[in-house]
């Protein structure tokens, strides 16, 4: 077992150091191939051992490493022991390495790396991941796209680790649209708002707007686009025409009073929007267990306000609004408005209600919110409020923030709908593929183009720290050379065709002695590290570890593909090499799927 090596080294160390092997396992890591000193496969960092020991005297670690190495002996697993800078290095018996890694990759299939001892003793948790969360009748912007792919990755990873994951899409389907900071829905230009600022809710405006400018057929055939158009128009008109504001307000009141017709119209908007979203998410390979939304928490927000009040946490202001004072939590200026002067709730109030509701419903061990970093303070405040309300589980809530992407434009202009982005990806990729000479007759070129294009987009997005901003460039996304998603897909397709060409004949057994060239050993050493990479991503929820791992794997595969020929090799050698390539493809596919990429078999 790849991970068994680590345990076996830990057992030997444990005897010498008189520490339980469990405490040692995480100090032993596979040496990254770019930094391989000599040919060691694993290294023990003496520094991290001393940390474990709480030994503050810190004797010279080099001396410690040498002393430790002298006490250790080679055995059937470890064939060589040496020291590096502050490390003890272990080389694994070559044939054992080959056999064990390949067998394990093939036997564990999609679970390869996840059964490692790095994850042993990991309790199975209930995890809620909230992501995507676009706003009804408004732009789906790049931030929503990032939230969608990042949230999907996190959910995939947690699920792979054996946790029970609930994926929630929390739609922005409620909210006041006229206020001090009202932004025009199309541009980010501030709208001149009426002098006597009237608070109009999204539902009121849409309801009125639809009665004035809506078309039933357009709503049915293209709900997201049509609701957006209606919304833009009604906003424009409402700025000059007081009657519109008035009728929007009336529509909203009808909703409040439970008018069945008004409610039915709203329900229809929502249902049709969700239906269309589901269709588009499917193209992305993303699904949700629950489509929730702000509108669900109108009444529950009122209960939250009462609860805050009963706990003495609600403070009325002279303006008639109500706030929660959070200055005791480090930031003396931190307050959060939770009620408007007319008694209605705000975004933060609804988030409190939603969190409490989800705790009731799912009893989660962790809840992860994925949004851009602009909402960092918002979530900080929501979590702090939950905490002071007495909900200890507030510490199980986590915000995963990401940076801003600039300059993503489609041929039609700025991104307004998710579907525009997907269509743009597909058409650009189709064009690119037409110029790739290896592109064979594809059964479904549209689908392949979309999958390759999405891989490209995801890799570009996941390469850096999630929190970093970046400038978007279609050219960079689609480069077929270099570290792109196109390269990963290309590698996967190539390995797949290798298997197709040479097929099963060779695969039943293999002779590990045939895989001792440096190119093979590098690949095996790299495969050995997959569990550590998964572990790192599971710790910081950053996909970049997996991305760079897969890119390196693909580069290694490209070199091996040129040098480790199959055709014209003796059957024994060919069989062993096919085995190796098959293992590479399997791990490549596993990693890609975790990232939310559907590997293609041809392109
Ligand atoms: N709909 C919000 C937006 O577009 C994102 C919602 C994030 N989730 C939350 N629970 N507040 O900005």
């Amino acid at each position: 077992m790849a991970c068994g090596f680590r345990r076996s080294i830990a057992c030997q160390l444990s005897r010498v150091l008189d520490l339980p092997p469990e405490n040692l396992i995480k100090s032993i890591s596979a040496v990254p191939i770019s930094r391989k000193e000599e040919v060691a496969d694993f290294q023990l960092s003496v520094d991290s051992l001393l940390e474990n020991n709480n030994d503050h005297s810190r004797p010279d670690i080099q001396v410690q490493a040498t002393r430790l190495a002298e006490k250790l002996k080679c055995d059937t697993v470890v064939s060589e022991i040496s020291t590096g800078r502050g490390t003890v290095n272990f080389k694994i018996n070559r044939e054992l390495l080959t056999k064990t890694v390949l067998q394990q990759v093939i036997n564990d299939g999609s679970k390869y790396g996840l059964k490692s001892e790095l994850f042993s003793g990991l309790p199975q948790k209930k995890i809620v991941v909230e992501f995507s969360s676009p706003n009804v009748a408004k732009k789906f912007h790049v931030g929503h796209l990032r939230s969608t792919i990042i949230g999907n990755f996190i959910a995939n990873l947690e699920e792979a680790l054996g946790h029970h994951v609930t994926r929630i899409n929390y739609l922005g389907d409620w909210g006041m649209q006229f206020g001090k900071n009202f932004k025009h829905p199309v541009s980010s230009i501030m709208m001149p708002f009426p002098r006597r600022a009237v608070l109009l809710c999204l539902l009121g405006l849409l309801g009125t707007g639809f009665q004035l400018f809506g078309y039933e057929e357009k709503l049915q055939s293209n709900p997201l686009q049509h609701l957006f158009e209606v919304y833009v128009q009604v906003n424009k008109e409402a700025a000059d025409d007081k009657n519109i504001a008035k009728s929007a307000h009336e529509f909203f009141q009808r909703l409040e009073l439970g008018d069945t017709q008004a409610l039915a119209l709203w329900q229809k908007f929502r249902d049709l929007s969700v239906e269309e979203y589901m269709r588009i998410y499917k193209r992305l390979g993303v699904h949700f267990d629950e489509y929730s939304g702000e509108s669900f928490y109108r009444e529950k927000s009122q209960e939250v306000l009462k609860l805050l009040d009963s706990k003495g946490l609600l403070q009325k202001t002279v303006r008639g609004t109500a706030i929660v004072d959070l200055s005791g939590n480090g930031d003396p200026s931190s307050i959060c408005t939770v009620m408007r002067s007319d008694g209605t709730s705000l975004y933060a109030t609804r988030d409190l209600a939603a969190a409490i509701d989800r705790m009731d419903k799912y009893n989660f061990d962790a809840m992860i919110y994925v949004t851009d970093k602009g909402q960092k303070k918002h979530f900080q405040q929501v979590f702090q409020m939950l905490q002071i309300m007495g909900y200890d589980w507030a510490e199980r809530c986590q915000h995963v923030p990401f940076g801003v992407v600039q300059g993503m434009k489609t041929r039609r202009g700025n991104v307004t709908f998710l579907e525009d982005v997907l269509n743009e990806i597909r058409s650009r990729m189709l064009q690119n593929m037409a110029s790739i000479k290896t592109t064979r007759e594809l059964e479904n070129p549209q689908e392949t183009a979309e999958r390759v294009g999405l891989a490209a987009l995801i890799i570009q997005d996941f390469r850096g720290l999630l929190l970093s901003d970046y400038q978007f460039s279609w050219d960079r996304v689609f480069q077929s050379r270099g570290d792109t998603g196109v390269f990963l897909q290309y590698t996967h397709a190539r390995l797949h065709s290798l298997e197709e060409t040479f097929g099963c004949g060779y695969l039943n057994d293999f002779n590990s002695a045939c895989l001792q060239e440096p190119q093979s050993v590098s690949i095996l050493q790299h495969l050995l590290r997959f569990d550590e990479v998964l572990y790192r991503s599971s710790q910081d929820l950053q996909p970049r570890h997996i991305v760079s791992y897969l890119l390196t794997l693909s580069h290694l595969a490209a070199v091996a593909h040129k040098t480790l020929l199959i055709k014209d090799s003796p059957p024994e050698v060919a069989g062993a090499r096919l085995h190796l390539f098959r293992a590479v493809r399997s791990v490549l596919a596993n990693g890609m799927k975790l990232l939310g990429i559907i590997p293609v078999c041809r392109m």
Side-chain angles (χ1 to χ4, degrees), residues 11-28:
C11 284
Q12 206 193 138
L13 280 165
S14 125
R15 282 188 293 266
V16 174
L17 295 167
D18 200 22
L19 283 169
E22 272 63 38
N23 297 11
L24 296 165
I25 280 173
K26 284 184 187 147
S27 304
I28 302 165

Side-chain angles (χ1 to χ4, degrees), residues 218-258:
K218 283 193 186 172
L219 179 70
Q220 293 289 343
S221 63
N222 214 337
L224 296 178
Q225 163 120 24
H226 190 51
L227 287 175
F228 178 71
E229 286 162 359
V230 166
Y231 187 65
V232 171
Q233 188 160 6
V234 72
N235 265 300
K236 219 168 26 195
E237 309 276 330
D240 317 314
D241 185 347
K242 284 209 187 78
N243 286 330
I244 294 199
K246 200 169 141 231
S247 99
H249 198 66
E250 276 164 15
F251 188 89
F252 177 56
Q253 275 175 332
R254 280 168 59 197
L255 281 168
E256 289 272 274
L257 296 171

Side-chain angles (χ1 to χ4, degrees), residues 128 130 170 297 300-301 303-305 307-308 311 313-314 323-326 329 334-336 338 347-360 364-369 377-399:
V128 170
E130 190 221 90
Y170 181 70
Y297 295 107
K300 287 207 167 95
S301 303
E303 289 167 28
V304 166
L305 289 173
L307 199 63
L308 282 166
K311 290 179 186 284
L313 295 168
L314 203 65
I323 57 150
V324 176
D325 182 356
L326 294 166
N329 291 280
S334 182
I335 53 159
C336 182
V338 289
Y347 183 51
T349 334
R350 294 188 285 277
D351 256 325
L352 292 176
I356 297 168
D357 183 50
R358 290 176 195 167
M359 188 63 201
D360 282 348
F364 55 78
D365 299 294
M367 172 149 68
I368 297 167
Y369 295 87
K377 180 152 183 218
H378 163 77
F379 284 106
Q380 235 165 33
Q381 293 192 323
V382 168
F383 302 160
Q384 282 171 359
M385 285 190 281
L386 290 169
Q387 191 67 264
I388 60 174
M389 286 169 89
Y391 297 117
D392 291 342
W393 49 261
E395 61 187 33
R396 300 182 205 171
C397 299
Q398 184 188 357
H399 177 219

Side-chain angles (χ1 to χ4, degrees), residues 130-135 139 141 144 170-173 294 347 351 354 358 369-372 375 378-379:
E130 190 221 90
F131 62 105
S132 196
S133 309
N135 302 320
K139 261 166 68 166
H141 52 72
H144 293 125
Y170 181 70
L171 299 176
D173 54 1
E294 291 181 51
Y347 183 51
D351 256 325
R358 290 176 195 167
Y369 295 87
V370 187
T371 78
D372 65 83
Q375 301 205 29
H378 163 77
F379 284 106

Side-chain angles (χ1 to χ4, degrees), residues 316-333:
K316 290 269 166 62
T317 68
V318 281
R319 292 181 8 246
T321 59
I323 57 150
V324 176
D325 182 356
L326 294 166
S327 59
N329 291 280
D331 175 4
S333 65

Side-chain angles (χ1 to χ4, degrees), residues 29 32 38 71 87 110 331 408 479 489 557 593:
S29 52
E38 304 279 284
K71 286 188 208 151
T87 62
S110 65
D331 175 4
M408 188 196 269
Q479 268 165 13
Q489 288 285 30
K593 287 181 199 158

Side-chain angles (χ1 to χ4, degrees), residues 442-514:
L442 294 168
E443 242 169 68
N444 192 343
Q446 301 258 342
E447 190 182 88
T448 307
E450 183 150 304
R451 289 185 176 167
V452 177
L454 271 172
L457 185 89
I458 290 174
I459 293 302
Q460 141 116 344
D461 197 86
F462 285 1
R463 281 183 60 185
L465 267 179
L466 293 180
L467 207 52
S468 319
D469 303 336
Y470 70 87
Q471 187 70 33
F472 186 83
S473 137
W474 286 110
D475 290 341
R476 195 147 27 102
V477 166
F478 287 136
Q479 268 165 13
S480 57
R481 280 165 202 283
D483 290 346
T484 64
V486 181
F487 175 51
L488 293 188
Q489 288 285 30
Y490 177 68
T491 306
H492 185 270
R494 220 166 151 202
L495 292 171
H496 186 268
S497 96
L498 205 64
E499 276 169 54
E500 248 181 6
T501 316
F502 297 100
C504 25
Y506 297 122
L507 282 176
N508 298 331
D509 201 7
F510 68 97
N511 180 354
S512 48
C514 299

